[in-house]
Amino acid sequence: MTAAHLDLELPTLTPEAEELRREVRAFVAEERSAGRLPPPRRIGLGFDREMSRRIAARGWIGLTWPKQYGGQGRSALERYVLNEELLAAAVPVGAHWVADRQSGPVLLKFGTEAQRQHYLPRIAAGDLTFSIGMSEPESGSDLASLKARAERIDGGWRINGRKIWTTNAHHAQYMIVLVRTSPATSSRHEGISQLIVDMSLPGITISPIVSMANEHDFNEVLFEDVVVGDDALIGKEGNGWNQVSAELAFERSGPERWLSSFRLVSELIGALGPETRQSSQEELGRLLSHLLALRQLSMSVASMLEQGRSPNLEASIVKDLGTKFEQEVVRVVRNIVSAENLIANGRQERLHALLVHAQQYAPAFTIRGGTNEILRGIIAKGIGLR
Ligand SMILES: Cc1cc2nc3c(=O)[nH]c(=O)nc-3n(C[C@H](O)[C@H](O)[C@H](O)COP(=O)(O)OP(=O)(O)OC[C@H]3O[C@@H](n4cnc5c(N)ncnc54)[C@H](O)[C@@H]3O)c2cc1C
């Protein structure tokens, strides 16, 4: 493998980005002291509409979008810094996360002017939750085999089909649904389109799926003769596969792909006493050096996004390495907790609760957003191995 295949370059953070980091830290400290940000007891983004609105009030949702759509016109690297700080501090950002990370950017890139004006300012205000309607009961990794379809009717589309594992569909006002709109001819990737669907429309049934951690985050969503207008189509009819591929680079490369279990490390460090064994310190040091390398990789991808590129290969590498790291953190923290006498400073009990939750949640790290086996296929192709 040569550097030319990957084309990664480590960007330098600007003074504006470092200033933003200070502002976010001050915000987090303020939220903590006001009692609005209790220490986390679970892994996951957390859903808190009011928190999203307070973040929005700072101008931090849609940070990179043009001002005319409610954004701030700032850089992808500044957005990177913002998200790194919010995630490291376990701020509950789930209410706006998907809309900010990928639905908004998809509309910005492929949507009509009317769609941009209608949705983007409301996302930037923290008022909208979007969900991702890609996976189906028989189509996960092999997404192009999807069966949900939309047929053309006078003035719009009629949707039928079933989506599954749809995170936050029960909170979302909208879902961007991937459907077949015309038969595949030469390639299965043809004839697929993205439609934006108002989740309050008749014909939509949302059924909860309770996870192994006994939580309701995702759902199965049934579409029965759901009618949407012409204005629901995003981009060109039949171009959905290309659009989704561009979207996945946003979904796969951010700090949420290697920071999910970081809160365990922070809690652990706070609970370790002066007698901590050398072996535990070494294990922690190894984790942190790995974390720094992942961070550099993830920042490099943010810089490629900034240049308007679609770094699917590089984003897949971040997600593959990052999610494995997240699982490794859970294993290492568990080993250290069982070997050490933690100091009784109140963090101990919280750390245990977090660890129990992390162990039930961790398998999802390498599945959501595309499994690692699939990512490795993309990587192998990208570097010319298949
Ligand atoms: C926490 C969580 C949240 C999610 N949220 C959403 C969401 O909001 N919206 C959404 O659309 N989806 C969501 N998903 C679904 C997720 O994208 C799919 O679970 C994932 O793409 C895998 O699809 P599948 O579950 O159908 O597994 P399958 O595709 O059936 O795969 C089963 C196993 O076989 C392996 N496998 C499959 N094909 C190959 C191959 N060609 N080569 C090698 N190995 C292969 C896979 O790696 C996996 O280990 C979520 C999943 C999780 C866990």
Side-chain angles (χ1 to χ4, degrees):
M1 191 198 307
T2 66
H5 281 121
L6 287 181
D7 210 9
L8 287 167
E9 238 174 70
L10 182 61
T12 318
L13 290 178
T14 58
E16 290 78 14
E18 295 299 359
E19 174 55 27
L20 178 61
R21 187 186 299 286
R22 282 190 285 277
E23 287 169 23
V24 183
R25 286 188 179 174
F27 169 79
V28 166
E30 224 176 283
E31 290 293 307
R32 281 242 154 84
S33 60
R36 292 189 293 257
L37 190 55
R41 302 180 71 87
R42 59 184 293 269
I43 304 293
L45 290 181
F47 191 101
D48 180 343
R49 170 81 56 213
E50 289 313 313
M51 176 63 83
S52 288
R53 290 199 172 117
R54 288 197 294 279
I55 292 171
R58 306 274 171 145
W60 293 343
I61 302 182
L63 189 75
T64 60
W65 306 348
K67 290 196 170 162
Q68 80 236 51
Y69 305 121
Q72 304 291 324
R74 297 184 70 170
S75 72
L77 277 167
E78 286 168 306
R79 180 176 179 274
Y80 169 88
V81 165
L82 164 69
N83 286 340
E84 184 175 73
E85 290 298 324
L86 293 176
L87 293 172
V91 178
V93 289
H96 67 267
W97 195 256
V98 163
D100 175 73
R101 177 184 69 190
Q102 64 195 89
S103 319
V106 162
L107 291 170
L108 202 53
K109 191 162 180 184
F110 301 106
T112 60
E113 186 52 31
Q115 285 171 336
R116 292 181 193 151
Q117 286 183 14
H118 184 66
Y119 298 106
L120 297 181
R122 290 194 291 152
I123 295 175
D127 290 337
L128 294 188
T129 298
F130 271 66
S131 59
I132 305 166
M134 294 189 198
S135 307
E136 297 184 7
E138 302 300 325
S139 304
S141 302
D142 186 17
L143 191 57
S145 68
L146 59 81
K147 297 196 181 59
R149 63 187 196 284
E151 55 181 308
R152 222 52 296 352
I153 54 171
D154 202 19
W157 303 90
R158 182 185 292 121
I159 307 171
N160 279 285
R162 194 183 290 272
K163 294 290 172 182
I164 199 169
W165 315 124
T166 339
T167 305
N168 287 335
H170 54 310
H171 293 304
Q173 289 90 345
Y174 297 98
M175 184 193 293
I176 295 185
V177 191
L178 195 65
V179 284
R180 182 156 286 291
T181 44
S182 55
T185 46
S186 55
S187 152
R188 289 190 313 152
H189 297 154
E190 289 173 359
I192 292 176
S193 305
Q194 286 184 304
L195 296 173
I196 183 161
V197 178
D198 180 335
M199 295 301 283
S200 65
L201 285 174
I204 299 179
T205 310
I206 304 171
S207 310
I209 301 177
V210 175
S211 70
M212 198 159 79
N214 206 22
E215 289 165 321
H216 173 203
D217 288 332
F218 42 45
N219 306 272
E220 180 159 6
V221 183
L222 180 64
F223 295 86
E224 290 172 298
D225 290 329
V226 176
V227 173
V228 294
D230 280 329
D231 57 0
L233 180 70
I234 303 175
K236 282 206 217 79
E237 197 249 299
N239 192 41
W241 191 261
N242 290 335
Q243 294 173 199
V244 157
S245 302
E247 184 178 334
L248 287 173
F250 291 105
E251 186 174 349
R252 289 178 172 160
S253 60
E256 73 269 36
R257 298 308 182 196
W258 45 275
L259 276 177
S260 308
S261 48
F262 180 75
R263 56 194 71 173
L264 270 175
V265 179
S266 343
E267 288 295 329
L268 175 67
I269 291 172
L272 285 175
E275 304 302 320
T276 305
R277 290 158 203 240
Q278 178 76 19
S279 58
S280 299
Q281 293 180 30
E282 282 170 12
E283 279 290 276
L284 266 178
R286 192 176 58 79
L287 276 188
L288 293 175
S289 58
H290 195 160
L291 180 96
L292 288 180
L294 281 168
R295 176 173 188 257
Q296 296 195 339
L297 205 53
S298 182
M299 277 169 58
S300 306
V301 178
S303 147
M304 292 173 86
L305 290 171
E306 172 75 18
Q307 294 159 24
R309 295 156 70 183
S310 277
N312 293 328
L313 163 64
E314 292 78 1
S316 300
I317 294 175
V318 173
K319 186 171 180 298
D320 177 65
L321 294 173
T323 53
K324 281 283 177 211
F325 169 78
E326 293 177 329
Q327 290 177 339
E328 168 84 349
V329 165
V330 180
R331 192 184 63 73
V332 170
V333 171
R334 186 181 57 219
N335 288 348
I336 296 179
V337 165
S338 42
E340 297 289 343
N341 288 320
L342 301 179
I343 46 176
N345 60 359
R347 286 191 174 228
Q348 210 182 356
E349 188 258 332
R350 218 159 58 214
L351 175 61
H352 275 114
L354 252 184
L355 192 53
V356 168
H357 189 253
Q359 289 184 120
Q360 292 167 334
Y361 199 95
F365 296 155
T366 51
I367 301 174
R368 57 183 181 182
T371 69
N372 285 38
E373 289 77 16
I374 294 306
L375 296 174
R376 285 174 189 194
I378 295 170
I379 295 165
K381 210 167 182 175
I383 59 175
L385 291 180
R386 65 169 209 168

